[in-house]
Amino acid sequence: MVQDKLQELIRSYCSDDDAPAFRRFYRHESQRLWRYLVARGATEAQAYDLVSEAFIRFLKTVCKNPIAPSAYLFRIAQNLLIDLQRSGLSREVSIEINELESKQDVGGTFIETRDVFVAINKLTRDEQNIVLLRYWLGMTYKELAEIIGRPEGTLRRQGASALRRLKELLPEYE
Amino acid sequence: MNELEQLEQQFSSRIRLSMDQLLPVPDSSRLLDIEQDMNLEKPVNRRWLIWIAVLLGLTGISVAYWYQSQQKVPIQDEIKVITPENTPTRDIPALMHQHLDQQGEPNSPVIYQQEVISDE
């Protein structure tokens, strides 16, 4: 499990001052975090600042309880983004796509990735968040509960609801 | 397989592909700059710092008291109790105590002397 390895890196940093372990964690998570922030509405420039600020805060506190470090990092970043969005400096539309049109072969079926992307964009902000964290970044519902601050059961129901909505929006991919 | 699992199976790879394909990718040199700016030295536990400061302070105070006590040179105050020549010797201690009660207890050891005034 990738998350177990990431947790081990942070434990190693916290217990043995293993700076290279922390750098490995950073290199793995910074790119995912940056893309997640862009998907959640930050501009690219804001996403760099938020990644920097989130990691600074993460460094200061993670060793107090180095369990589920990725979820903790994403929670910090999400709270920073919410503060930014409340200040009105971030765009409200959560996902912007570049002009790339492409098709991918999944199990022998060509699907229009852009259609999926647009369909995700039609979900509510909470649903988008769950879909991105769970199905794009591969986090567990337990980690989602840590990041979003809601019970796991509630998030499971919201996740199922989001997928049902995607199914309605993408009937051709049944 | 329940409904959620079926939906997950149906959409998870599509969602992943779609996001990977269409979201921008960060500039790795910018992320490297952020990495290099990070201070990876762990913050020192402040609670330990406070305890060390308290211990050092107490040690300093103790050493200062000890040093001061070593430097003290007893001052030999002299208290002269002037008594008439015909004062009986047995009364002199009582007179000295009476004098001390009036003057208060001195800080340093005191040498008591009797000076006898001659009538001549």
Side-chain angles (χ1 to χ4, degrees):
Chain A
M1 284 290 287
V2 174
Q3 289 304 321
D4 289 344
K5 284 181 183 169
L6 292 171
Q7 188 169 322
E8 193 51 46
L9 290 175
I10 290 301
R11 278 200 176 137
S12 178
Y13 167 70
C14 291
S15 58
D16 306 327
D17 290 340
D18 188 354
F22 188 88
R23 291 188 191 285
R24 284 203 295 281
F25 176 86
Y26 173 84
R27 282 169 198 167
H28 188 274
E29 291 298 76
S30 59
Q31 196 179 70
R32 281 175 9 125
L33 182 60
W34 186 91
R35 296 185 90 196
Y36 168 74
L37 290 166
V38 170
R40 299 295 298 131
T43 64
E44 294 190 11
Q46 285 170 343
Y48 289 114
D49 292 342
L50 289 170
V51 166
S52 175
E53 182 62 29
F55 266 98
I56 287 169
R57 293 190 187 198
F58 177 76
L59 261 173
K60 282 183 186 166
T61 49
V62 68
C63 291
K64 288 177 186 167
N65 187 18
I67 296 166
S70 295
Y72 182 51
L73 173 70
F74 275 73
R75 191 178 72 191
I76 293 171
Q78 180 167 271
N79 289 341
L80 289 170
L81 179 64
I82 289 168
D83 289 345
L84 187 73
Q85 285 169 335
R86 281 181 184 155
S87 72
L89 294 173
S90 182
R91 64 178 189 266
E92 273 303 308
V93 178
S94 59
I95 301 174
E96 277 184 7
I97 55 175
N98 59 30
E99 294 307 310
L100 183 67
E101 291 275 357
S102 68
K103 291 182 173 183
Q104 292 292 316
D105 187 2
V106 180
T109 309
F110 282 101
I111 60 162
E112 194 71 56
T113 54
R114 192 184 175 105
D115 288 351
V116 176
F117 203 96
V118 170
I120 293 170
N121 211 12
K122 287 179 182 167
L123 301 175
T124 66
R125 289 180 66 80
D126 283 350
E127 287 172 340
Q128 281 179 21
N129 207 17
I130 293 167
V131 165
L132 291 176
L133 291 167
R134 175 77 183 105
Y135 303 110
W136 176 41
L137 297 175
M139 292 189 174
T140 63
Y141 274 107
K142 195 176 176 185
E143 287 171 315
L144 262 68
E146 166 75 13
I147 296 168
I148 298 171
R150 282 190 210 144
E152 208 178 314
T154 307
L155 293 171
R156 277 183 191 277
R157 281 194 294 279
Q158 286 182 315
S161 164
L163 290 179
R164 268 187 228 112
R165 187 129 156 72
L166 278 182
K167 193 178 172 185
E168 287 168 15
L169 291 165
L170 299 163
E172 64 271 36
Y173 301 129
E174 287 270 356
Chain B
M1 190 184 288
N2 63 30
E3 187 205 1
L4 178 60
E5 285 170 337
Q6 278 180 343
L7 287 169
E8 284 185 337
Q9 199 175 45
Q10 189 179 349
F11 283 103
S12 57
S13 60
R14 288 173 177 167
I15 291 167
R16 203 163 36 250
L17 274 171
S18 176
M19 301 307 288
D20 283 344
Q21 188 78 30
L22 295 177
L23 272 176
V25 177
D27 179 353
S28 55
S29 66
R30 292 280 303 271
L31 292 180
L32 192 65
D33 288 344
I34 294 170
E35 181 186 336
Q36 284 167 350
D37 287 344
M38 277 192 299
N39 179 12
L40 293 183
E41 283 179 23
K42 276 195 293 180
V44 180
N45 191 330
R46 284 185 187 172
R47 194 176 294 173
W48 278 110
L49 276 182
I50 291 167
W51 276 113
I52 290 167
V54 168
L55 282 175
L56 282 175
L58 288 174
T59 310
I61 290 166
S62 305
V63 169
Y65 268 109
W66 175 82
Y67 183 75
Q68 198 180 6
S69 69
Q70 295 301 305
Q71 294 298 308
K72 253 184 192 172
V73 177
I75 300 163
Q76 294 192 343
D77 286 346
E78 226 176 65
I79 295 175
K80 290 180 180 177
V81 179
I82 301 166
T83 57
E85 191 182 18
N86 57 354
T87 304
T89 308
R90 66 175 181 277
D91 290 346
I92 289 173
L95 283 167
M96 288 163 67
H97 283 295
Q98 189 184 353
H99 180 84
L100 274 180
D101 288 344
Q102 287 166 0
Q103 296 293 315
E105 196 68 29
N107 288 326
S108 306
V110 180
I111 293 171
Y112 303 105
Q113 287 184 351
Q114 183 185 22
E115 186 174 286
V116 178
I117 299 169
S118 173
D119 290 338
E120 289 175 5

